[in-house]
Amino acid sequence: MRELLSEQMIQTRVRELASEIRRDYEGKKPLLIGILKGSFVFLSDLIRELNMDLEVDFMATSSYGDATTSSGVVALTKDLDVAIEGRDVIIVEDIVDTGLTLSYLCRTLDQRLPSSLAVCALLDKSARRETEVQVDYCGFDIEDGFVVGYGIDYAQKFRHLPYIAIIEEEVHE
Ligand code: 5GP
């Protein structure tokens, strides 16, 4: 296991993302939707840096389980508690990999007629994309490899790490 992004690097980037979002949503009250479970640490830091009028809700999709490769199948396991029609919605994701999860989420949320829909992802493995998705606010573009820490797990472990580490360099051959 090797450190990929230090606590300091993450904090600095989260602060930058927050100021971009604050500027873009000035005078609005965005609804930030955290995708469980991996995004909860990022989301909690992000909203404190945003320091503006906002709301938070959560959704959960089927995940990798305990394996390190994607099944490619996406299912909604927890839906929102609130309606989003007419709202300015920002999806907050931990990692965009193939893009399948995000593309499913965007389609699902678009049907509910939000006033706007944007995506904020801490990590983007853009080279692995299988379907086109737009990431409006991206923390770091990273190479392939399985990462953990800062809310992101491997078999439910390592979420507590304040930094992001890579545990396998090439798991997706
Ligand atoms: P996608 O649908 O874009 O292929 O997958 C996105 C989801 O896969 C992420 O939200 C995350 O839950 C999981 N994922 C992708 N890469 C990694 C990784 O390196 N580590 C962990 N723990 N999960 C990952």
Side-chain angles (χ1 to χ4, degrees):
M1 188 150 109
R2 121 184 121 77
E3 184 174 299
L4 183 70
L5 301 167
S6 69
E7 189 175 0
Q8 184 61 52
M9 285 166 79
I10 297 169
Q11 275 175 8
T12 303
R13 191 69 189 117
V14 170
R15 202 165 298 138
E16 288 169 359
L17 290 174
S19 55
E20 267 184 66
I21 294 172
R22 199 184 315 107
R23 189 195 59 213
D24 294 350
Y25 289 82
E26 202 184 336
K28 295 179 177 168
K29 184 168 74 172
L31 172 67
L32 278 73
I33 299 181
I35 310 304
L36 295 171
K37 299 176 188 167
S39 72
F40 80 100
V41 174
F42 174 42
L43 179 68
S44 72
D45 280 349
L46 185 68
I47 59 170
R48 283 175 293 181
E49 289 294 342
L50 275 170
N51 190 23
M52 68 188 289
D53 199 12
L54 56 79
E55 288 180 20
V56 169
D57 201 353
F58 293 96
M59 278 177 120
T61 55
S62 60
S63 72
Y64 280 14
D66 290 354
T68 56
T69 51
S70 173
S71 61
V73 179
V74 182
L76 200 61
T77 55
K78 187 218 170 298
D79 205 341
L80 297 172
D81 293 333
V82 298
I84 60 166
E85 185 169 349
R87 299 296 308 269
D88 292 299
V89 173
I90 306 175
I91 297 175
V92 179
E93 258 285 27
D94 55 354
I95 309 173
V96 184
D97 185 14
T98 62
L100 292 170
T101 308
L102 191 55
S103 142
Y104 168 81
L105 287 169
C106 288
R107 265 182 283 127
T108 304
L109 295 180
D110 251 337
Q111 285 167 4
R112 302 182 190 179
L113 308 176
S115 165
S116 66
L117 182 61
V119 174
C120 175
L122 179 67
L123 306 175
D124 190 352
K125 297 180 182 174
S126 57
R128 292 196 12 99
R129 207 66 98 244
E130 287 174 21
T131 180
E132 202 184 316
V133 285
Q134 185 175 326
V135 179
D136 304 274
Y137 306 96
C138 169
F140 302 91
D141 200 278
I142 59 167
E143 301 287 308
D144 189 15
F146 199 81
V147 297
V148 295
Y150 196 67
I152 302 165
D153 76 311
Y154 171 61
Q156 303 304 322
K157 293 195 297 190
F158 308 117
R159 291 194 202 275
H160 61 284
L161 298 178
Y163 54 88
I164 287 175
I166 188 154
I167 58 172
E168 286 179 47
E169 301 286 342
E170 280 170 19
V171 288
H172 308 284
E173 280 161 8

